[in-house]
Amino acid sequence: MSGAVVMPARRRVAWGKRAGLVIGGVIVGAVLLVAILAPWITPHDPFVQNLDNRLSVPFWMEGAKPGHLLGTDGLGRDYLSRLIYGARISMLIGLLTVVTSGLIGTTLGVLGGFFGGKVDDAVLFAITCRLAIPVVLVALAVVGLLGSSLTLVILVLGLLLWDRFAVVARSTTMQVRNLDYVSAAWAAGLSTPAILLKEILPNIASHLAVVATLEMALAILLEAALSFLGLGVPPPLPSWGLMIAEGKDYMFFSPWVIFIPGVALFILVFGINLLGDGLRDLLGAGDTR
Amino acid sequence: MLRFALRRLIVALLVALTVMVLSFMLTRLSGDLAISIAGASATQADVEIIRRAYGLDRPLVVQFLDWIGRAAMGDFGESFFFKARVADLIAERMPITLTLGLTGLAIALIVSIPLGMLAAVRENTWVDRLVQVIAMFGQAMPSFWLGLILMITLGLQLGWLPISGTGSWQHYVMPGIVLAFSAIPALTRLTRSGMIQALGSDYIRTARAKGLSRLSILGKHALRNAAIPVVSIAAVQLGFMLGGSIVIETVFALHGVGFLAWESISKNDFPVVQAVVLVLALIYIALTMAADLLNALLDPRLRSA
């Protein structure tokens, strides 16, 4: 993280990286589209059970029933429909968590980097404390104590995942602070808030965009893990992590039950990471990991 | 060096104190603890008795000071569910979590150092790209899901490894692999960038000019310098792994500290939960401090920070 450098000159982007950007963008865009259009493209209601049609197999296996492309789960609910609605939950968690943690982390980081001194000491101390807290454990404990809900998961993850935003915002602000155009803004008599919002923020935005993709991927994985452990999104909501937990009982006889939501999760997170990696090169955002 | 060490120690103590306050507040989030301990069927009188028995009727500050004072002596109170001393419960299960964490870290280092070196030596070729894609694969893999897939394939279908439990060393292989996945991406990238930097430096050019063999340059000179950040990140990663092992311990039914925490959370056993959060945080604080001191010892330039 110390290697973050503001690069005004565009680097030559290797074709491999650009391919990554395109592939990542297509994956994330497709999942986002599916999430938005969920009510109109699902073949069945994702919540309706049919106990006469439990664990119907997906299309590539023998004995697949027409109408259930990815089969049905242990309660006879259409798996494709649940998977599509699951995309909604993952995207919602990812985006809202990033907005929350981005606001907290960026505010802290910019203030610390810009003012330095005691303010910066306090910000650094907050980051150090935050890193010492075991995220999964604390998130589980909070949800366990207060009861599982979608809102609570978003809130908890948002309040925990701001550290990288703060680190990157702080180091990039420090680099931008002493550049000529900021001095010019001072000389022109701009107020401090105006300088922070109009001069500093736009110039560190590309770095923050890269962090946002990383954190979004992390939030989606964490939500899945929490839901898998039964302390995330409550049933019968079709979170991908919850689908894996529900499929666990049948996994030795019908492995596809956990295979399908796991692959969906992997592809989405991989896509977000590819997008972030591509963005980093395109925007010349340096090493923000 | 001494001044640096002292300053670092003070920061670590302050962080530890803050985390203590936070882990105490964490269990008070639900409002009235006595009600959640008593359960749904309890009467008002039962709740009152519990409140008094556990000292929950005292002001929060008094409760906190009492808890912190005892914790400093190694006494974390008693578990409601296990009816045993929390300190004993944690001590009993810590070896399993530490074994798992160290196995995971060892596997991660064995995989990521050669991968990172390979990528650095072949910088900007397809090999380098491939290594980076592998690292990204690791990053996108949901650990609990990978655990289940390994159980189905290596455990059930191939029968190579036991599926769950802690009977023998084989029981730690699968969870270790899964845990390693979370650290491999960061360690690989760091080894790669460290090696690239080292390979481009003056002393490597000198070593080349002296006609030293390629292997000796890579192993003796470049790796030694690239190792400094890797060592410190490895310590930090171990801290993260211990905190993150809760998911993997639950998947593989390894009865370590993480599993204990998960059980306690579902049973509302708050003395255990707050003690585990605190212990894991303290281990992390100690590890990062050790890494910082080691770095400062190896590289005097860092001491001014």
Side-chain angles (χ1 to χ4, degrees), chain B residues 32 34-35 37-54 57:
Chain B
D32 200 334
I35 293 177
I37 296 164
S41 59
T43 63
Q44 188 63 40
D46 294 340
V47 174
E48 231 18 82
I49 291 169
I50 285 177
R51 185 169 295 148
R52 203 139 316 141
Y54 290 110
D57 50 347

Side-chain angles (χ1 to χ4, degrees), chain B residues 9-202:
Chain B
L9 187 70
I10 292 171
V11 172
L13 286 175
L14 284 175
V15 173
L17 193 69
T18 313
V19 172
M20 277 181 172
V21 176
L22 289 175
S23 57
F24 178 81
M25 296 308 288
L26 176 71
T27 52
R28 265 67 184 175
L29 271 177
S30 62
D32 200 334
L33 265 178
I35 293 177
S36 40
I37 296 164
S41 59
T43 63
Q44 188 63 40
D46 294 340
V47 174
E48 231 18 82
I49 291 169
I50 285 177
R51 185 169 295 148
R52 203 139 316 141
Y54 290 110
L56 294 171
D57 50 347
R58 298 169 299 169
L60 269 185
V61 181
V62 177
Q63 289 183 44
F64 175 70
L65 291 177
D66 183 45
W67 176 65
I68 212 179
R70 287 167 192 269
M73 314 288 281
D75 176 10
F76 291 104
E78 198 145 307
S79 153
F80 305 140
F81 178 68
F82 295 98
K83 306 280 179 233
R85 280 162 41 87
V86 176
D88 293 344
L89 282 172
I90 294 179
E92 192 182 297
R93 288 157 183 249
M94 195 47 105
I96 292 178
T97 301
L98 283 181
T99 312
L100 176 60
L102 290 172
T103 312
L105 184 64
I107 297 175
L109 287 173
I110 291 170
V111 174
S112 48
I113 290 181
L115 267 184
M117 285 177 71
L118 189 68
V121 173
R122 297 262 178 275
E123 194 194 347
N124 288 330
T125 64
W126 65 271
V127 182
D128 187 19
R129 283 299 300 160
L130 185 69
V131 169
Q132 288 181 43
V133 171
I134 292 174
M136 216 182 281
F137 251 76
Q139 209 169 15
M141 191 71 77
S143 63
F144 62 95
W145 182 70
L146 178 67
L148 296 177
I149 295 294
L150 289 184
M151 279 161 91
I152 295 174
T153 51
L154 298 184
L156 184 81
Q157 289 171 356
L158 297 170
W160 288 352
L161 292 163
I163 287 172
S164 67
T166 44
S168 64
W169 66 267
Q170 283 102 328
H171 285 93
Y172 288 95
V173 178
M174 272 201 277
I177 292 174
V178 177
L179 197 55
F181 255 80
S182 63
I184 287 174
L187 289 174
T188 305
R189 286 202 188 92
L190 205 71
T191 311
R192 175 182 174 273
S193 59
M195 279 301 272
I196 288 174
Q197 208 174 11
L199 287 173
S201 62
D202 289 340

